[in-house]
Amino acid sequence: MTTVVLAGELRGWAVADLAEHCAVLRQEPHAQIVLDMGGVHACDAAGLEVLIALHAGDGGADLVIRGARWSQFFDVLRQTPLEDLGGVCHQVRQLVWSARRVRRIGVDRTERDDGSTPSVTAG
């Protein structure tokens, strides 16, 4: 199991880096990835789109997200047109609820099999 620790803002180049990093990790046989969003304080629409795609299983690996909170997505929610707000709220709710389920179930290992802990630091 590999944990990717995210910190800062998930926008711009950090979103592309995250997608690329997860694509590489998913090439490993039986890849299991945990995205730890506990250190993220802001996420833009592109970041939300990538997180939703990763959460939906695009790419084929087991992936769980933990540490997602509503406050991380306030910028996206503020900038979303009213007619689209329901759909965006639903996407954020999916991430936040999945993070809560992970916390209840527990993800015990927070490192790679070789003992290292990879991280991606967002701007």
Side-chain angles (χ1 to χ4, degrees), residues 38-58:
V40 173
H41 63 290
C43 180
D44 70 3
L48 177 59
E49 186 178 321
V50 166
L51 290 170
I52 290 297
L54 292 171
H55 182 256
D58 294 356

Side-chain angles (χ1 to χ4, degrees), residues 30-44:
H30 310 292
Q32 295 179 322
I33 305 166
V34 176
L35 292 182
D36 184 345
M37 292 187 56
V40 173
H41 63 290
C43 180
D44 70 3

Side-chain angles (χ1 to χ4, degrees), residues 30-106:
H30 310 292
Q32 295 179 322
I33 305 166
V34 176
L35 292 182
D36 184 345
M37 292 187 56
V40 173
H41 63 290
C43 180
D44 70 3
L48 177 59
E49 186 178 321
V50 166
L51 290 170
I52 290 297
L54 292 171
H55 182 256
D58 294 356
D62 285 340
L63 185 137
V64 295
I65 296 174
R66 69 176 179 198
R69 302 177 310 277
W70 279 97
S71 61
Q72 295 163 323
F73 302 97
F74 283 168
D75 289 345
V76 174
L77 296 170
R78 266 192 296 267
Q79 295 169 4
T80 300
L82 188 57
E83 61 270 11
D84 300 329
L85 195 55
V88 173
C89 283
H90 177 72
Q91 292 175 327
V92 173
R93 185 180 310 114
Q94 284 181 305
L95 293 176
V96 171
W97 281 86
S98 73
R100 287 184 180 166
R101 281 194 304 270
V102 168
R103 192 175 334 138
R104 266 186 261 144
I105 295 169

Side-chain angles (χ1 to χ4, degrees), residues 2-4 18-35 61 112 118:
T2 301
T3 296
V4 179
L18 174 61
E20 183 179 320
H21 189 65
C22 286
V24 170
L25 291 174
R26 285 182 158 167
Q27 292 176 2
E28 297 176 14
H30 310 292
Q32 295 179 322
I33 305 166
V34 176
L35 292 182
R112 289 181 172 204

